[in-house]
Amino acid sequence: MITSPSFYRTIHKQDTNKATKVNRLIRHFIKRHTVKLVVCTAVFFLLFTSFLLMGTYASSITPEAASAEEQIIRVQSGDTLWNIAKQVSDGSHDIRYIVYLIKDRNDLQSTVIKPGQKLIIPSI
């Protein structure tokens, strides 16, 4: 059976109307969510860069030079802050407190120390 060309045009027109509506809905959806995406990306970028700047600032701090009452030691292989604190302790203070003082004086973020590193031992 052969259909007339006018039948094809009516089908095509109906599909075009539906396609136009769908295209309009898609464009509207993209416009609405593009703004949200751009704003979220900008906020993420600002937060990320601010955290990087804070980390950069914190890592650039160096301790002041040792005073006359303080001593400087070089970390040997196998040394720990706990052992160093025991060596310099006079027995009147808790070892944990001395470890805290050494960490604070040298601006250490953790108790990890490396051989060859110089530590300033505060007067206790």
Side-chain angles (χ1 to χ4, degrees):
M1 169 166 55
I2 300 177
T3 57
S4 67
S6 63
F7 178 74
Y8 288 123
R9 277 184 257 152
T10 58
I11 292 175
H12 183 66
K13 285 181 184 176
Q14 288 174 352
D15 287 344
T16 304
N17 289 337
K18 287 181 183 177
T20 305
K21 287 179 183 178
V22 169
N23 284 341
R24 261 190 273 137
L25 287 173
I26 290 173
R27 276 188 258 129
H28 178 66
F29 182 80
I30 289 174
K31 280 184 181 179
R32 278 185 36 207
H33 293 290
T34 301
V35 171
K36 290 178 187 176
L37 181 64
V38 168
V39 169
C40 288
T41 304
V43 168
F44 173 77
F45 180 74
L46 288 173
L47 286 173
F48 183 73
T49 54
S50 65
F51 284 125
L52 284 177
L53 290 174
M54 285 189 326
T56 303
Y57 175 73
S59 64
S60 67
I61 297 174
T62 55
E64 296 178 18
S67 65
E69 301 88 33
E70 298 174 325
Q71 60 180 350
I72 299 176
I73 64 163
R74 184 176 298 268
V75 177
Q76 302 298 319
S77 180
D79 281 348
T80 63
L81 280 182
W82 188 267
N83 290 339
I84 294 171
K86 274 186 183 178
Q87 291 171 2
V88 298
S89 172
D90 58 1
S92 64
H93 296 288
D94 187 14
I95 301 296
R96 293 173 291 188
Y97 178 67
I98 299 172
V99 169
Y100 166 77
L101 290 176
I102 295 171
K103 276 180 59 178
D104 187 50
R105 178 61 179 94
N106 292 283
D107 293 325
L108 299 175
Q109 300 298 320
S110 70
T111 57
V112 177
I113 54 176
K114 299 174 185 168
Q117 182 178 1
K118 290 182 181 178
L119 292 177
I120 300 172
I121 307 299
S123 58
I124 300 171

